[in-house]
Amino acid sequence: MARVFNFSAGPAVLPVPVLQRARDEMIEHGNSGMSVMEMSHRSKAYMAIIGNAMALLRELLEIPDDYEVLLLQGGASLQFSMIPMNLLSDPGKQSVDYVLTGSWAEKAYGEAKKQGVEVRIAATSKAVNYSRIPTQAELTLNPDAAYVHITSNNTIFGTEYYYTPETNGIPLVADISSNVLSRPMEISKYGLLYAGAQKNLGPSGVTVVIVRKDLLGRRSGLPQMLDYKVHAENDSMFNTPPTYAIYILGLVLQWTKEQGGVAAMEQRNIRKAAKLYAAIDNSSFYQCPTEPVSRSRMNVPFTLADAALDATFLAEAKEAGLVTLAGHRSVGGMRASIYNAMPEEGVEALVQFMAEFERVHG
Ligand SMILES: *Cc1c(COP(=O)(O)O)cnc(C)c1O
């Protein structure tokens, strides 16, 4: 069976060289006599694997020394709770700002509210069905907020920030799950960034948290597993980390480096997204619901002129080896996720298929 072009939003396509290497090392990693999955996380062989992944993250994302990198479990979703737990010293007396740009932002907002803190909406684009990112001028920030939370790429609605909000010294917190590693980000402008791995970084099961050191230890009495400081003090080895997911993360980072790093990825992602958006915009059969200034380079939603053709589109696309193109269940239509590991040929094949489908059914 041949590999397909997988446009899944996550878990998503991985680079084939990464899968091949994992296959080759499945039974025995190096000269260890065992699979990575069977190693003690405290063994020398495994310490080298996690150390390599950490070092590559720091190198590729240019993470300054005054930031900790944590490899945690629980997905980006657990961060929705851990962030307010850790960054507030006294939730009952504090206030935080959230910018609502889609479903994940709403979920982060909802979890923060459960922490007993006042949660303000600094801006929302819900009125336009999250079709664009609010501008800096539209943000009404509270100068006393403990932090400001944004979602840098909205996986479901297909929008992305092309500016870093200015928060005048208040820590900026960003969910970068679906565009981490897709373009350079100025880490020093943020207090904390977090990403579940299964979009651009590797398999599900590991979550990357990048946090400025001075933000650690604000809150005492947290359960140990939910305390960033505990994980930082233990180099993400407080308990057994997701060892195999971290190993694959390391391979993906190595592959990214070999491709030329994050800047090269950005150039490729710009080309891929431009091709797909042009195909949509140059046709009257396909439509994109998002505003051009906010369009995501990672997740491209589009609809057909006649929604009754959706099922046929998906079935014929599958025949052509193009899979997982259905839009999120909350939005409908189609969505093509074109993360770093989606080759340019995959986007070209999709564009060709779309033109042919329009010719036949349009
Ligand atoms: C996928 C996704 C999440 C949820 O990630 P989990 O690891 O499943 O918890 C959160 N935020 C964004 C932006 C996502 O794309």
Side-chain angles (χ1 to χ4, degrees):
M1 180 180 170
R3 276 180 65 84
V4 293
F5 289 120
N6 177 12
F7 295 92
S8 170
V13 57
L14 287 167
V16 172
V18 165
L19 298 174
Q20 286 168 331
R21 174 126 178 235
R23 175 198 61 197
D24 294 345
E25 297 177 342
M26 174 60 74
I27 307 291
E28 181 183 12
H29 181 270
N31 295 318
S32 66
M34 62 181 81
S35 167
V36 174
M37 272 180 270
E38 302 169 296
M39 287 177 184
S40 159
H41 58 295
R42 314 246 176 234
S43 66
K44 220 174 156 185
Y46 191 74
M47 293 299 273
I49 289 170
I50 191 170
N52 175 59
M54 288 278 200
L56 282 168
L57 271 174
R58 284 196 175 273
E59 178 185 338
L60 289 169
L61 296 175
E62 298 185 42
I63 300 172
D65 288 344
D66 56 332
Y67 286 74
E68 288 284 352
V69 179
L70 310 176
L71 300 177
L72 307 180
Q73 301 193 55
S77 298
L78 183 58
Q79 294 312 308
F80 298 164
S81 307
M82 278 179 78
I83 287 161
M85 280 181 181
N86 281 267
L87 299 192
L88 301 171
S89 50
D90 190 358
K93 293 187 178 151
Q94 290 176 289
S95 179
V96 292
D97 278 356
Y98 277 66
V99 182
L100 303 189
T101 49
S103 318
W104 293 117
E106 281 183 4
K107 286 192 175 152
Y109 168 78
E111 289 303 295
K113 284 212 285 196
K114 293 181 189 166
Q115 299 297 320
V117 62
E118 181 198 17
V119 189
R120 289 178 66 254
I121 298 176
T124 171
S125 50
K126 192 178 172 75
V128 290
N129 200 29
Y130 294 130
S131 57
R132 67 180 184 85
I133 299 290
T135 62
Q136 175 79 47
E138 290 172 308
L139 307 180
T140 55
L141 299 173
N142 169 11
D144 296 321
Y147 62 83
V148 179
H149 182 281
I150 64 167
T151 310
S152 64
N153 181 77
N154 296 280
T155 324
I156 293 172
F157 286 91
T159 59
E160 184 169 2
Y161 279 81
Y162 290 102
Y163 73 99
T164 309
E166 176 53 63
T167 55
N168 301 310
I170 293 171
L172 180 61
V173 173
D175 179 353
I176 57 170
S177 292
S178 52
N179 69 347
V180 57
L181 225 57
S182 73
R183 58 179 169 110
M185 288 180 187
E186 211 174 329
I187 304 293
S188 63
K189 288 193 169 169
Y190 299 83
L192 185 152
L193 308 100
Y194 64 102
Q198 67 272 20
K199 282 52 185 263
N200 244 349
L201 291 173
S204 62
V206 59
T207 305
V208 176
V209 175
I210 303 163
V211 56
R212 218 172 58 212
K213 287 178 182 169
D214 66 286
L215 298 176
L216 297 173
R218 284 191 169 184
R219 181 80 158 273
S220 51
L222 289 176
Q224 287 183 297
M225 279 297 288
L226 301 179
D227 190 339
Y228 291 139
K229 194 155 181 264
V230 169
H231 291 288
E233 284 168 353
N234 290 279
D235 296 323
S236 298
M237 289 274 209
F238 172 66
N239 72 325
T240 315
T243 53
Y244 198 76
I246 291 170
Y247 157 70
I248 301 287
L249 165 66
L251 296 186
V252 171
L253 294 169
Q254 184 62 42
W255 173 84
T256 307
K257 184 176 170 176
E258 286 160 10
Q259 301 297 303
V262 173
M265 280 298 154
E266 179 181 42
Q267 291 313 310
R268 226 174 68 151
N269 289 329
I270 288 173
R271 284 199 300 275
K272 280 155 51 183
K275 249 177 224 163
L276 186 46
Y277 284 116
I280 296 165
D281 288 343
N282 294 335
S283 120
S284 50
F285 184 75
Y286 300 105
Q287 270 197 321
C288 178
T290 49
E291 297 280 341
V293 288
S294 299
R295 285 179 175 176
S296 167
R297 292 178 191 147
M298 296 285 100
N299 310 97
V300 181
F302 60 94
T303 55
L304 312 190
D306 178 2
L309 285 170
D310 283 3
T312 313
F313 181 92
L314 291 168
E316 292 187 8
K318 193 171 177 199
E319 282 290 296
L322 309 166
V323 309
T324 340
L325 282 162
H328 190 269
R329 58 189 187 277
S330 65
V331 175
M334 306 299 153
R335 172 178 50 170
S337 296
I338 50 174
Y339 298 117
N340 285 357
M342 172 57 66
E344 298 197 63
E345 304 84 73
V347 173
E348 278 152 23
L350 175 59
V351 164
Q352 259 180 29
F353 169 80
M354 288 167 67
E356 180 61 14
F357 188 86
E358 177 177 0
R359 196 183 64 75
V360 174
H361 298 278

